[in-house]
Amino acid sequence: MVMIAYLYMLKVMAALGCGLIAGIFFAFSTFVMKALAQQPPAQGIAAMQSINLTVINPWFMAAFLGTGVVCLILIVSSVFRWQQPGAAYLLVSALFYLIGCFGVTIGFNVPLNDALAVANPNSPEGANLWANYLTNWMFWNHVRTLAAFIAAALFTLAIGTPSQL
């Protein structure tokens, strides 16, 4: 019974964490990056460089990485309890977050951020980089927004699935 309560709380934490991260990325997709794109390149670059530094803080990292850890735990649980109802929801939900959100961030958004970090905002090269950055970063941000949202929705379904999980 204790294990069922523990896993129930993990499902709730995963749903909330994925939803929170989806909301953060949604904000960037719908207005933050659009506002930065309206600025002269030097100002947009400088603002995004500042954002990329300040996002590394305990609150965001706890939500982003903590949700990933919870997803890993739920993957292990779903594999070991595969015959239980709801196990597939847990596995698919966690994979959406870990691959589509966390993986995309590490594989695509962070390298773009790293390239922008060393760009000279006042140079022609910086302006060219910024134009490409906006297009590429936004595409991958849309992917991770959608992945985190789908994960949150599936975890929510898993919460309501009667199971021994």
Side-chain angles (χ1 to χ4, degrees), residues 24-137:
I24 292 167
F25 293 154
F26 179 78
F28 272 83
S29 284
T30 58
F31 61 88
V32 173
M33 295 306 289
K34 290 179 183 190
L36 294 179
Q38 292 175 357
Q39 302 304 309
Q43 291 175 344
I45 291 168
M48 192 65 187
Q49 287 171 332
S50 180
I51 289 168
N52 288 335
L53 291 174
T54 58
V55 75
I56 309 299
N57 67 69
W59 289 104
F60 177 78
M61 297 311 281
F64 185 67
L65 297 175
T67 300
V69 170
V70 171
C71 285
L72 288 171
I73 294 167
L74 290 172
I75 284 175
V76 171
S77 174
S78 69
V79 169
F80 282 111
R81 297 168 181 264
W82 188 248
Q83 300 305 318
Q84 299 293 326
Y89 278 126
L90 294 182
L91 180 63
V92 173
S93 304
L95 289 175
F96 260 101
Y97 184 81
L98 291 173
I99 295 169
C101 185
F102 190 81
V104 165
T105 298
I106 299 304
F108 298 99
N109 293 89
V110 168
L112 290 166
N113 292 344
D114 290 345
L116 190 68
V118 296
N120 179 350
N122 297 306
S123 70
E125 296 82 17
N128 289 336
L129 176 69
W130 180 240
N132 289 327
Y133 177 91
L134 286 168
T135 301
N136 294 326
W137 194 93

